[in-house]
C-alpha cells in the first residue's frame, strides 16, 4: 500500500503555498450563532484564489515537479475547480496545462480554465472514463497527471485550510467538511487530529452521491454512478485509495444533505453574510444546520469550500 501523507506533509505544503495562496478569512455571523445557540466559524475558501480550496493542493503538487516534468507540463481531469486550480498553478509556475473537462461543466468554470491559459479537452461524463483519457494523454505526450484528490501532495495541500482555521480559532468541538473524492476531508483530518484531536470531524455529501457514507459504513470503497445533484463539485463516483483509509481512521461520521438544503444555505450566505457560495460549498453548513440541536453551546467549524457558480444559475436557484 502507498504511504499515506501525514500532518508533517501539510506543514510543508503550507510553507510551499505561502505567498501564492490566499490566507482566507474566517467569518462569523451573529444570525448563525443565534440560530445554533453556539459559536460558528466559517473558513471561507470561496475567497481563495480561483474561488476554491483546490488551488492549495494543485499548487503544492505542481511546485514539486522536476525541471523535466515542468517542461512537458501537467494534465488534469476535473468537473471544474481542480481544472482552474491546475491551470492557474501551471501558469504561475511557468508550465503548460491540459485539462480534461465534462461537456456539461459550468460555463464559468470552462471559461476561467481557458482564461488561465489551460488547454481544455472535453469528454462525456455519463459515458466516457476521464481517468483513462487522462492516462492516455499523459503517456502520449509525457505529461504528468495530477488527479483531483487521490494524490499525497494534493491531500497535504488541501489540509492547509483546516490548519489555518485551527491556528486562528484554537480547538473546536465539531468541524464539518464538504466531501467529494475526499482530498479536502482527508487533508482536513490530518490537521484536525494534529491541532484539535478531540474535535468531532464530519464529512458531508449530497444525498444522491452518498458513496462516501456507504464506503465508511461498509469498510471498503463503494463505487456509484455519477450522481445527479446541484453539488457539481461532489459528483465523484468513489473515494480514493489514499483518501479512504485516512477518512476511515480519522473521521467520526459521513452525513448527507439534500439539494434543497444546499439552496437554503446558499440563500443564507448571500442574504446574511453577503458571500457567494457554490452549491458544493454549502455541504458542511447544511449538515451542521440539520444537527444543530446537538451542537448547542459548542464551537463549530464549517469549511466553505468554494464560490464558483455562473451568475444566471445562481439567480435561478435563488429565484
Ligand atoms: C472539489 C470540491 C469539493 C470536494 O473536494 P474533494 O477533495 O473531492 O472531496 C468540495 N467543494 C468544492 C467547491 C470543490 O471544488
Amino acid at each position: 500500500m502507498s504511504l499515506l501523507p501525514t500532518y508533517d506533509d501539510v506543514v510543508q505544503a503550507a510553507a510551499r503555498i505561502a505567498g501564492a495562496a490566499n490566507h482566507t478569512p474566517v467569518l462569523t455571523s451573529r444570525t448563525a450563532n443565534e440560530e445554533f445557540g453556539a459559536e460558528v466559524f466559517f473558513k471561507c475558501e470561496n475567497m481563495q484564489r480561483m474561488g476554491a480550496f483546490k488551488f492549495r493542493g494543485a499548487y503544492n503538487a505542481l511546485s514539486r515537479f522536476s525541471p523535466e516534468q515542468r517542461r512537458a507540463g501537467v494534465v488534469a481531469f476535473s468537473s471544474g475547480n481542480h481544472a482552474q486550480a491546475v491551470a492557474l498553478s501551471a501558469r504561475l509556475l511557468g508550465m503548460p496545462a491540459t485539462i480534461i473537462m465534462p461537456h456539461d461543466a459550468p460555463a464559468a468554470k470552462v471559461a476561467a480554465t481557458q482564461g488561465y491559459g489551460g488547454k481544455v479537452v472535453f469528454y462525456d461524463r455519463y459515458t466516457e472514463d476521464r481517468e483513462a483519457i487522462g492516462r492516455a494523454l499523459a503517456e502520449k505526450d509525457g505529461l504528468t497527471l495530477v488527479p483531483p484528490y487521490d494524490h499525497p501532495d494534493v491531500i497535504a495541500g488541501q489540509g492547509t485550510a483546516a490548519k489555518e482555521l485551527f491556528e486562528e480559532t484554537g480547538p473546536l468541538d465539531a468541524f464539518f467538511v464538504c466531501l467529494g473524492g475526499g482530498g479536502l476531508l482527508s487533508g482536513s483530518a490530518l490537521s484536525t487530529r494534529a491541532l484539535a484531536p478531540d474535535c468531532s470531524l464530519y464529512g458531508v455529501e449530497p444525498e444522491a452521491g452518498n458513496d462516501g457514507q456507504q464506503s465508511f459504513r461498509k469498510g471498503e470503497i463503494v463505487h456509484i454512478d455519477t450522481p445527479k445533484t446541484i453539488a457539481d463539485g461532489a459528483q465523484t463516483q468513489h473515494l480514493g485509495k489514499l483518501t479512504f483509509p485516512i477518512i476511515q481512521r480519522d473521521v467520526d461520521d459521513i452525513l448527507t444533505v439534500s439539494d434543497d438544503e444546499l439552496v437554503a444555505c446558499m440563500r443564507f450566505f448571500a442574504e446574511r453574510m453577503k458571500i457567494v457560495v457554490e452549491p458544493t460549498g454549502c455541504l458542511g453548513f447544511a449538515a451542521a444546520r440539520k444537527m444543530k440541536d446537538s451542537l448547542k453551546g459548542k464551537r463549530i467549524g464549517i469549511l466553505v469550500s468554494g464560490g464558483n457558480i455562473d451568475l444566471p444559475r445562481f439567480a435561478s436557484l435563488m429565484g
Side-chain angles (χ1 to χ4, degrees), residues 25-33 35-36 40-44 46-47 265-277 285 289 302 304:
V26 176
L27 297 186
T28 58
S29 150
R30 281 197 181 81
T31 313
N33 289 351
E35 177 182 326
F36 279 74
V40 189
F41 299 93
F42 298 93
K43 177 63 172 169
C44 288
N46 56 317
M47 298 180 198
C265 290
M266 289 175 69
R267 186 182 298 282
F268 179 94
F269 282 129
E271 273 182 352
R272 298 295 180 163
M273 296 179 68
K274 317 303 171 194
I275 58 176
V276 174
V277 181
F285 185 44
R289 274 181 135 177
I302 308 284
V304 179

Side-chain angles (χ1 to χ4, degrees), residues 19-82:
N22 292 339
H23 187 122
T24 53
V26 176
L27 297 186
T28 58
S29 150
R30 281 197 181 81
T31 313
N33 289 351
E34 273 161 31
E35 177 182 326
F36 279 74
E39 262 188 294
V40 189
F41 299 93
F42 298 93
K43 177 63 172 169
C44 288
E45 287 296 299
N46 56 317
M47 298 180 198
Q48 185 49 264
R49 268 184 104 157
M50 52 61 55
F53 70 90
K54 287 212 174 63
F55 181 72
R56 297 172 181 271
Y59 192 89
N60 185 48
L62 268 60
S63 60
R64 301 199 68 192
F65 277 23
S66 70
E68 300 85 78
Q69 286 177 302
R70 284 185 194 225
R71 223 168 292 127
V74 59
V75 59
F77 46 82
S78 167
S79 59
N81 284 334
H82 178 62

Side-chain angles (χ1 to χ4, degrees), residues 44-203:
C44 288
E45 287 296 299
N46 56 317
M47 298 180 198
Q48 185 49 264
R49 268 184 104 157
M50 52 61 55
F53 70 90
K54 287 212 174 63
F55 181 72
R56 297 172 181 271
Y59 192 89
N60 185 48
L62 268 60
S63 60
R64 301 199 68 192
F65 277 23
S66 70
E68 300 85 78
Q69 286 177 302
R70 284 185 194 225
R71 223 168 292 127
V74 59
V75 59
F77 46 82
S78 167
S79 59
N81 284 334
H82 178 62
Q84 281 169 258
V86 167
L88 175 59
S89 300
R91 197 185 65 186
L92 294 172
L93 293 162
M95 66 177 96
T98 302
I99 311 293
I100 301 158
M101 293 182 104
H103 287 293
D104 58 349
K109 292 185 178 181
V110 176
T113 302
Q114 290 167 332
Y116 292 131
K119 179 184 154 203
V120 176
V121 175
F122 289 103
Y123 78 102
D124 182 339
R125 77 159 98 199
Y126 297 102
T127 61
E128 289 180 295
D129 179 358
R130 64 183 189 174
E131 305 191 21
I133 298 172
R135 261 183 234 107
L137 268 176
E139 254 169 56
K140 184 165 81 56
D141 298 329
L143 311 182
T144 302
L145 181 66
V146 174
Y149 53 89
D150 211 22
H151 187 292
D153 298 332
V154 172
I155 293 169
Q158 316 307 32
T160 59
K163 175 177 182 289
E164 288 175 8
L165 172 66
F166 288 116
E167 284 171 351
E168 189 163 337
T169 63
L172 300 170
D173 299 306
F175 184 26
F176 295 84
V177 178
C178 315
L179 171 59
L184 181 63
L185 180 58
S186 59
S188 299
L190 300 177
S191 295
T192 303
R193 292 301 160 240
L195 302 175
D198 298 328
C199 179
S200 298
L201 175 60
Y202 301 101

